DNA sequence: GTGCGCAAAATTGTATACAATCTTGAAAAC
DNA sequence: GTTTTCAAGATTGTATACAATTTTGCGCAC
């Protein structure tokens, strides 16, 4: 099994492919990412793989253990709380700014994203739907024209994807995009205050849909605690 | 000129050395960081240097231009505003949390930092004083026990150091640590609300001490615009 | 059969070698 | 004298080779 594509695979493109695979839950938290293994799959040398893995570790999607290798990150419960705490500091205020700067074109783009998310969900591609759902938040930050904050939010959403993979409790409705629709309404009205409040509620709903009790739950982390 | 130390220089330690040098203004924004040049100075191969430079670029302290090399970042005026916008979203609330969790030991540590900052300032080592001043903010975030937010603040403060190097107007008093002393008072009282307000004011003062008018100022960026 | 020890295999960390791209500067054309 | 061309030098991007560390598993003692 070698060489999956004809275009030359650069360190950056490899980073993006791995990032997307993790974000779409095609690779599970805790999975070891061996340098030789990935190098053979994509037909590149370990040098290139290492650069990509290092980038992923900076985004906190991968944990590098010295002389041990790279593993898809497994955020702890404390880290999960911290990620949503950070999001609740950044995203509501950013939604406010975005609402005030929103153009008709922005709204159309966001609406298309919601539609695509809806399609993915109904075609059973939950990973894809989750990815698109996250991208919705990132685009809001970009509309707010705050690239610095947008970069933070982008990282936090990627990490949220790992958190959802680990702690999401099935009983809660899967990412019903009601919240996103409501946000769209506030954006259409250019109502900054309402957008801010809706985003705040949305994040509370999200964290509520997780099981963050310290019950030594998550099967993989227990197994991991014994072998590391 | 080779080999400055006897301990083996690892990619991580090289990252820290370069980060500190940039933070203390020993390397100016815009400086080219050639891989061979750094490698010879520290007695390591380009492989190690590249890993360190990549880490620095993730922290936004260095800009990597493909096939051109690594340069100490030169934040634009827009980016400078964004950095302080992000700080004003994160730091006041974090100071609030920190005040409520503050132990006597924490307060003693912070006080020692302020003293060291004071000493550095009076011994004329402005770069060192600036570094310690930034570290004060980082430690507050760590006391708040929010590692995720602390990591963001750490990056924002490093970038603030570059911003200060580019846009600080000499006429404003140099980082008078009055604001830090006032914060210490609020911390000593465990007064979260006051700490939050003081931090907010402190950040406003900081940005006010900068010259962020779009006058095509900063000599180096003009020269750079023509040569890139 | 169980547990320990140690050597071989495997994996990562770093250095070196080669390829691709960019920069420089001098010669030639005008 | 100025501009253009293009080749040589310099620098980065990637691959390969070697060193250091960790993991594995077989053999041996008990």
């Amino acid at each position: 099994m070698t060489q999956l594509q004809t275009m030359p695979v650069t360190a950056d493109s490899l980073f993006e492919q791995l990032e997307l695979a993790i974000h779409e839950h095609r690779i599970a938290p805790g999975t070891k990412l061996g340098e030789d293994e990935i190098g053979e799959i994509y037909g590149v040398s370990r040098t290139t793989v290492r650069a990509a893995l290092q980038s992923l570790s900076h985004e906190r999607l991968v944990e590098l253990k010295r002389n041990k290798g790279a593993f898809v990150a497994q955020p702890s419960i404390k880290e999960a709380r911290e990620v949503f705490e950070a999001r609740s500091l950044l995203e509501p205020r950013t939604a406010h700014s975005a609402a005030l700067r929103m153009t008709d074109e922005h709204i159309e783009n966001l609406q298309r994203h919601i539609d695509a998310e809806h399609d993915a969900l109904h075609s059973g591609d939950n990973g894809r739907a989750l990815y698109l759902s996250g991208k919705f938040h990132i685009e809001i930050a970009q509309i707010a024209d705050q690239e610095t904050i947008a970069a933070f939010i982008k990282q936090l959403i990627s990490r949220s994807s790992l958190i959802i993979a680990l702690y999401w409790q099935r009983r809660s409705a899967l990412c019903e995009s009601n919240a996103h629709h409501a946000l769209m309404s506030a954006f259409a009205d250019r109502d900054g205050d309402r957008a801010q409040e809706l985003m705040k509620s949305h994040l509370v709903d999200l964290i509520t849909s997780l099981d963050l009790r310290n019950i030594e739950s998550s099967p993989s982390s227990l197994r991991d605690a014994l072998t590391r």
Side-chain angles (χ1 to χ4, degrees), chain A residues 18 26 49 51-52 58 118 130 153 158 161 164 188:
Chain A
L18 292 174
R26 299 202 306 273
V49 175
H58 280 288
H118 190 266
L130 180 63
I153 290 176
S158 293
S161 171
I164 289 169

Side-chain angles (χ1 to χ4, degrees), chain A residues 5 10 22 26 34 52 59 88 110-111 119 122 125 140 142-143 170 179-181 189-190 216 221:
Chain A
Q5 50 186 30
T10 179
I22 295 173
R26 299 202 306 273
E59 294 296 312
S88 68
L110 287 177
Q111 189 57 54
D119 291 349
H122 279 254
D125 192 347
I140 290 171
Q142 285 169 339
I143 290 168
R170 322 193 128 276
H180 288 187
H181 279 115
D189 296 346
R190 273 70 174 175
E216 200 64 37
S221 80

Side-chain angles (χ1 to χ4, degrees), chain A residues 68-87:
Chain A
K68 295 272 187 68
F71 302 82
V72 178
Q74 302 185 96
S76 66
I77 287 174
K78 176 170 187 296
E79 184 177 335
R81 293 190 197 282
E82 286 187 5
V83 165
F84 280 93
E85 175 69 19
R87 288 184 65 172

Side-chain angles (χ1 to χ4, degrees), chain A residues 103 107 121 123 206:
Chain A
T103 68
I107 290 179
L121 204 57
S123 72
L206 266 179

Side-chain angles (χ1 to χ4, degrees), chain A residues 82-98:
Chain A
E82 286 187 5
V83 165
F84 280 93
E85 175 69 19
R87 288 184 65 172
S88 68
L89 288 187
L90 294 175
E91 292 201 66
R93 195 63 200 162
T94 301
H96 183 108
S97 303

Side-chain angles (χ1 to χ4, degrees), chain A residues 10-16 18-19 22 47-64 70 154-155:
Chain A
T10 179
D12 289 340
S13 68
L14 180 54
F15 164 78
E16 288 173 9
L18 292 174
E19 180 188 40
I22 295 173
T47 305
T48 302
V49 175
R50 279 177 72 84
L53 290 176
Q54 201 193 338
S55 294
L56 288 167
S57 85
H58 280 288
E59 294 296 312
R60 309 288 188 120
L61 292 183
V62 156
E63 189 179 354
L64 293 182
K154 184 172 185 303
Q155 177 188 134

Side-chain angles (χ1 to χ4, degrees), chain A residues 23 42 81 93 104 163 166 168 178:
Chain A
H23 204 155
Y42 289 94
R81 293 190 197 282
R93 195 63 200 162
D104 291 344
I163 290 165
L166 288 172
W168 179 62
N178 285 341

